[in-house]
Amino acid sequence: MRDFKYFTNILTHYESIQKLKRGEMCAPRFCTLQTSNRCNQNCMGCSFGHHDIRLNNEIMSFDNHLKILDQLINIGVKGFEFCGGGEPTCLPYLLDCMKYLVDRKCNVGLITNGVFLNNELMEFVINYGTYIRVSMETGCEELYIKYKRCPDNHYTKVVTNLKHLLLLKRKIKSMCDVSLKFDISKTLQGDFHIKQSFKIAKEMNYSTVQFKFLRHEPEELSFMERMYQREILLKKGRELGMGVGVPDVSNNEEVPQCWLNPLHIVVDYLGDVYLCCYYYYREKEHKIGNMLQQSLEDIWYSSQHWEKIKQINKNKCAAVDCKFFEHHHIINKAFINGRENYL
């Protein structure tokens, strides 16, 4: 479990969960959009940086974005997250897409490295967004440049933008959640990296920080190393009085067989639809169709979709820290002997 009180809205999907338990397909309410394959950095631990698709350096056209957004809205999606794949702020029409969604009473979230955030985009997200998470990865400028393999001025740009985000949030008393994410890996680990990450967050008045273990990459730590680093993180957070988000260090036996994934839809820069956002090392197994070649209704409610879910290899799921692990554990506890029907 995380060190700070962890909010999950999984039980608000009650009707959809009941449908899935009965073997009926539900409509997704949340979409992850990875519709840019471009990035302005080259992080050592990037799951897509070692991948052939990054070589294409492509983005989805604005017209195709609108076609896909309309289909997603029509099927029932309410929450949209723009993230990687590539860096979403490399999309020249990211703000236009967000405005299009907000005008249609949808919610938007953004996961970004923070370099290309401009005033107009920041003001829009703070005013209308549900959350923005900046993947800073480390609070040490030297490590930042080494790990992200980026121009020297990126670190200063990100710190400046993070300060501006918080100022905007306080100025208008926004409910938009602004958070920081740091990595733990072979390059980014140990007392110095962790201290510097907490230090920069504290200096900018962030009350909580999130750390993620890099998985399924050459930068991945062993199970015992992750356990050790996790204890350092939780201890340091308590010392500083800061909330710390750290994934559980699960072993293969604790990984659930996934069946909740239809609550969430993932679409990439080609219009391909996947079972979950951890498709990048098993594309063929997790791809269920293409929204630019077929209607989303036909893809989503197809027999192939069900077959792909049944064939999910949970041992491969164990290679990543998936948020659905926790969701499955919560559902398995809540939906016992009719408990979900009581307060």
Side-chain angles (χ1 to χ4, degrees), residues 172-234:
I172 66 169
K173 298 181 180 178
S174 168
M175 293 299 291
C176 179
D177 181 51
V178 182
S179 62
L180 286 175
K181 191 267 284 186
F182 299 99
D183 275 347
I184 300 292
S185 66
K186 287 182 179 177
T187 300
L188 303 178
Q189 63 171 308
D191 195 57
F192 178 75
H193 160 60
I194 291 171
K195 278 183 177 179
Q196 291 298 111
S197 298
F198 275 111
K199 180 182 177 184
I200 192 71
K202 195 83 170 176
E203 287 175 354
M204 291 188 288
N205 293 314
Y206 282 83
S207 58
T208 62
V209 290
Q210 181 179 2
F211 286 85
K212 292 211 69 167
F213 294 113
L214 283 177
R215 302 296 305 276
H216 206 265
E217 291 298 324
E219 280 282 305
E220 179 178 353
L221 297 174
S222 70
F223 177 79
M224 292 306 296
E225 287 172 329
R226 294 198 304 275
M227 289 280 286
Y228 177 68
Q229 294 297 315
R230 187 174 188 274
E231 289 306 310
I232 295 175
L233 288 168
L234 296 178

Side-chain angles (χ1 to χ4, degrees), residues 21-281:
K21 285 172 69 70
R22 293 194 300 265
E24 302 172 24
M25 183 55 67
C26 67
R29 202 165 80 192
F30 168 54
C31 176
T32 293
L33 289 167
Q34 301 183 343
T35 47
S36 169
N37 197 38
R38 295 179 183 171
C39 193
N40 55 339
Q41 296 184 331
N42 184 26
C43 299
M44 292 169 65
C46 178
S47 301
F48 294 89
H50 304 292
H51 208 275
D52 289 342
I53 63 170
R54 175 56 58 81
L55 300 176
N56 299 328
N57 194 32
E58 295 182 19
I59 60 172
M60 183 182 288
S61 71
F62 183 54
D63 286 345
N64 283 341
H65 264 94
L66 297 187
K67 289 177 186 176
I68 281 177
L69 294 179
D70 283 339
Q71 287 191 69
L72 290 164
I73 292 168
N74 290 338
I75 206 171
V77 175
K78 297 293 184 185
F80 292 80
E81 176 183 272
F82 291 87
C83 64
E87 165 55 36
T89 58
C90 288
L91 271 176
Y93 30 78
L94 173 63
L95 185 56
D96 295 317
C97 290
M98 287 186 161
K99 288 179 177 178
Y100 187 84
L101 290 168
V102 169
D103 286 345
R104 285 152 184 78
K105 310 301 181 187
C106 295
N107 304 112
V108 294
L110 175 63
I111 297 179
T112 173
N113 60 35
V115 177
F116 284 169
L117 290 173
N118 57 41
N119 287 339
E120 188 179 11
L121 180 56
M122 285 190 279
E123 287 180 9
F124 183 86
V125 173
I126 290 298
N127 275 281
Y128 301 104
T130 300
Y131 60 86
I132 176 170
R133 190 184 83 190
V134 178
S135 302
M136 194 170 184
E137 317 309 10
T138 180
C140 169
E141 184 172 6
E142 185 179 347
L143 279 175
Y144 181 98
I145 295 165
K146 175 184 176 182
Y147 181 74
K148 286 180 170 277
R149 295 182 290 204
C150 64
D152 292 354
N153 65 342
H154 277 200
Y155 181 86
T156 303
K157 281 185 177 182
V158 173
V159 170
T160 300
N161 289 339
L162 282 164
K163 290 177 179 177
H164 188 56
L165 280 168
L166 280 186
L167 285 173
L168 285 172
K169 177 179 168 67
R170 291 177 184 129
K171 181 180 179 180
I172 66 169
K173 298 181 180 178
S174 168
M175 293 299 291
C176 179
D177 181 51
V178 182
S179 62
L180 286 175
K181 191 267 284 186
F182 299 99
D183 275 347
I184 300 292
S185 66
K186 287 182 179 177
T187 300
L188 303 178
Q189 63 171 308
D191 195 57
F192 178 75
H193 160 60
I194 291 171
K195 278 183 177 179
Q196 291 298 111
S197 298
F198 275 111
K199 180 182 177 184
I200 192 71
K202 195 83 170 176
E203 287 175 354
M204 291 188 288
N205 293 314
Y206 282 83
S207 58
T208 62
V209 290
Q210 181 179 2
F211 286 85
K212 292 211 69 167
F213 294 113
L214 283 177
R215 302 296 305 276
H216 206 265
E217 291 298 324
E219 280 282 305
E220 179 178 353
L221 297 174
S222 70
F223 177 79
M224 292 306 296
E225 287 172 329
R226 294 198 304 275
M227 289 280 286
Y228 177 68
Q229 294 297 315
R230 187 174 188 274
E231 289 306 310
I232 295 175
L233 288 168
L234 296 178
K235 180 181 178 183
K236 183 58 64 178
R238 287 191 290 269
E239 287 176 0
L240 295 173
M242 297 182 70
V244 189
V246 191
D248 281 335
V249 182
S250 302
N251 56 40
N252 286 27
E253 290 74 30
E254 296 170 329
V255 173
Q257 185 63 42
C258 186
W259 56 275
L260 289 173
N261 53 83
L263 301 176
H264 174 208
I265 182 171
V266 178
V267 184
D268 78 355
Y269 72 107
L270 295 172
D272 289 333
V273 182
Y274 294 94
L275 294 180
C276 80
C277 56
Y278 294 110
Y279 67 85
Y280 51 80
Y281 62 99

